[in-house]
Amino acid sequence: METSKALDYICSEAKKQGADSFDVIAGESESSGLDLYEGKVKNSEISSSRGIGIRLFVDNRPGFAFTEKYSTEALSQTVSDAIAHAKLTDPVELDMPEPADIEEKDLKLWNQSAESVELSQLKDLCLEMESLAQQKDKRVENIPYLGAGKSSGRTEIRNSNGVSCSARGNSLYAGIGVLAHQNGHKKMGYYSNSSRDFNFFKSDYMANLAVERAVEMLGAKSIPSGKYPVVLSKRITPQLIGMYRAPFYGEAVQKGQSRLKGKIGESIAVKDFSILCDPHVEGFPGSRLFDGEGIPSQKISVVENGVLNAFLYNLESAKKEGVAPSGHAVRSYSGDVGTGFSNLFVPKGKHSLSELLSAHPKCLYVTQLEGGSGCSPISGEISIGAQGFWVENGQKVHPVEGVTISSNYFDLIQNIEMFGNEYSDILSSTKVPDMLIKFMYVAG
Amino acid sequence: MNKSTAEKIISLGKEKMADFVEIFEEETRNASVVYKDKKVESATAGTDYGIGIRLIYGTNVVYGFTSNEEEEHLLQLVRNLSQLSGVQASGQNLDPISLQFQEASNSHKISLNPREVGQDKKLPFLKMADKAAREYSSKVHQVAITAADISSHVNIINSEGLFLSDNRIRTRFSINVSAAQNGDIFVAREAPGAMMGFEFVENLDIEQYARQAAGRAVLMLDAKYIEGKKMPVVMGNGFGGVIFHEACGHPLETESIRRKASPFAGKMGEQIAHNKVTAVDDGTIPNKWGSLNVDDEGNPTQKTVLIEKGILKNYMSDRVGAKELGVPITGSSRRESYKYAPVSRMRNTYIDKGEDKFEDMIGSVESGLYAKKMGGGSVNPATGEFNFAVEEGYIIKNGKVVEPVRGAALIGKGHEILPQISMVGDDLELAAGMCGASSGMVPTTVGQPSLKVDNILVGGR
């Protein structure tokens, strides 16, 4: 059964089986990709997947179910499961939205030319990257990770009040991971990126950067434990700042999982620090015209000049708070409704990276983070392995490995001394510049 | 899938010159109930359904999957895959394939099928956990509990004539407790699981697990930071095994070795760990969370000795890895679902028990860390660099455990830490976890007795 027919069927079935209200989401995706090793394609993959999830309410009690099977029996069973679940849950207050005017704007998330890119072109790109990387430096031992692919997806949302909206997107990706060695010491260097334009991928740029990132770390050593100024590279600030999104979600605040509770209007960070959630930036992966519950997306300034300005809401948390939903519900067909940023921006500052590195006589410049399990968005704890460079008077002295950096997110954002004037070139929904932190605790 | 469709797919793959053709058909039902904020927050269930087709040419793999079970759609997928391989079909006549249906013999007894029990039976257990956690301390301010089960039915069909069907049922009970004080919030988690049905929940000491999680969250509120530096560490038993899993397990999978992305490549038969260390990956333990009947290529599961008295004995291998490296198949081929081609993965992986006493380990440390409960971690298999969070840690001073510490992390390189494990306890315990790698998230068990590592970098402040 086609997706639109399956949606028609599940909606009529939900009414028939006695749901008071409901919303359904369908997702479909297609992808293909390959990875290579030593000049040969080792793995290649073609895939298509799809699924429909339903949330329905009976006497305000929610029930969820989903299916990847689109037969009439499977769809009916999915509705019966959701009805059965609505007998178990506690009541929830929320207002299922009416159809609203959704801005008609091309967010440039779909590029038809990406659809016609052949896997053979992606394979040739990989082969070029591999050969360039091998020739670039004799310390390159091998290239364990090398791959490229393309994917496309479509989402459709409907509800019992007649909301009906859909969106689609596609993208291409390519990446390379280089292993370099010197005197028994091994380091990996990576570069990968996504785009909707095949011509964006430059094999020499990608290969060179991956090799450079591996060889520049050879000979890395630890540094003595202490409290140091730290420059966090724009390569990793999106990862770090991105781990602490949840404290800004209304539902986390309501359920005691955010240290920002009660702090609206208060200063929580240095005055140059802002967080902007902007869903309408062309081409950005987080861009969307409506959220996972069909509410029009809007631009929200979450933190403005250091002051906490707003939390993000979905239908349920907005109702509980007595505010209008802000259009930040996220939902996949197999999951519950949550909250999420669309795109997250920390505005750029005025300073170049070299100004950040030379602001103190000595500093640690962190270019890689390892793992994230010592980082908790609830407590704000940051305790994470790091690699990078020891810098004196603005000059790199030696590469650094085998250290951890430690702080707390809610302290860190009050200790940012300078912001860099660039973002990394990675196509990402999170954009954060280089940042100089007054100090972090480093263990080595 | 019926036999005739399967035979057509396999014949077409062979016609397209694949050395090996495999079909993996899966129907999985996930069901869970979440109790949070003293409410039944959600009850959900869903059906994953799809078919993965794998063609192997030498040791090169082409893989495709779809949720569409129509025969023509599947045959077209095979044609597309073969085109992807770049190998030309020969047009020669092949012997017709004849599939023999069999059911995998089940070594893990399931008493209560979760589907038949129903989701409503979970409610009293969820509430029991919530009550026990909240009663532990007035500082406990939020509790979230999930009771989840997953029932999978798979058919594994291949060009060697296999048509094997297998059922896998697992149940997990997760308890997250947060405690708050003066604006600080800490969360602790316990999440036991087993290859069992609802009987697992019925027989679980839920209150004990809830109190453990609550106790840890409350303890961390008053804990100080540890001063970061290199020091001896006594690692607690059970989930402490995550260190071996990350730092040594992943690099011992043929998927890492075949890319030479492992410090253990070419080290078979060599001393890679302290001679007190024996490590095992065992899929046969009855009803354990990471156990199997057969792996996702249909190979019977087995107990594989990885390291014996410090000597590297075996890698964990799948069909392709075994062929490429010339090592035996260990039945370790796993995948999250039909959406992934299978690769070598861990099952129940543990460092075997030794003879040392926990008290003697603590007693031998002048100044160090007792990492009683580990949080998660990750590894770069190519370089062996690992990191983990310590969820519950204590300072050891002059041979005594003195006070709790927060924010500790352990980092290092697996192959450098193995020789530093100088004491191995007699208190082996296993704990359930989820492991992520190229073939998705799979249930695995980690485990170890208490261990003493002579020197490891502890991150702190």
Side-chain angles (χ1 to χ4, degrees), chain B residues 76-109:
Chain B
Q76 188 55 42
L77 179 58
V78 176
R79 286 182 209 110
N80 294 345
L81 288 171
S82 81
Q83 207 178 1
L84 210 58
S85 77
V87 177
Q88 297 296 320
S90 70
Q92 64 181 347
N93 287 324
L94 295 160
D95 295 334
I97 184 89
S98 159
L99 298 169
Q100 295 298 319
F101 182 81
Q102 63 187 102
E103 188 105 24
S105 76
N106 183 19
S107 336
H108 309 282
K109 188 171 174 285

Side-chain angles (χ1 to χ4, degrees), chain B residues 22 43 55 78 83 121 134 145 167 176 181 192 200-201 220 229 241 263 265 284 315 341 359 373-374 408 417 448 456:
Chain B
E22 177 192 76
L55 308 185
V78 176
Q83 207 178 1
K121 298 292 188 298
R134 288 181 192 273
I145 311 125
N167 289 305
N176 278 272
Q181 175 177 278
F200 176 68
V201 175
M220 283 303 118
K229 59 182 177 193
T284 68
Y315 299 132
E359 303 75 42
K373 172 90 197 271
M374 301 303 300
I417 294 300
Q448 65 175 34
I456 187 168

Side-chain angles (χ1 to χ4, degrees), chain A residues 32-36 117-130 143 145-151 170-178 189-207 209-210 213 425-427:
Chain A
S32 55
L34 36 83
D35 73 86
L36 293 87
V117 171
E118 299 282 340
L119 278 181
S120 61
Q121 289 170 273
L122 295 169
K123 177 180 160 187
D124 291 343
L125 171 73
C126 288
L127 289 172
E128 271 171 43
M129 284 197 287
E130 186 178 47
I143 296 156
Y145 304 102
L146 178 66
K150 61 180 199 176
S151 63
N170 64 3
S171 78
L172 305 165
Y173 72 89
I176 176 169
V178 170
Y190 300 93
Y191 184 84
S192 68
N193 209 344
S194 307
S195 173
R196 293 177 193 88
D197 175 9
F198 182 69
N199 296 318
F200 170 84
F201 299 100
K202 304 285 180 230
S203 54
D204 49 350
Y205 173 76
M206 298 179 73
L209 212 48
R213 287 175 177 182
D425 67 350
I426 305 299
L427 183 69

Side-chain angles (χ1 to χ4, degrees), chain B residues 234 358 362-363 365 369-370 393-404:
Chain B
V234 175
F358 174 72
I362 297 289
V365 176
L369 173 73
Y370 168 37
Y394 299 84
I395 286 177
I396 311 174
K397 270 268 158 10
N398 303 320
K400 290 201 169 59
V401 174
V402 289
E403 61 176 340

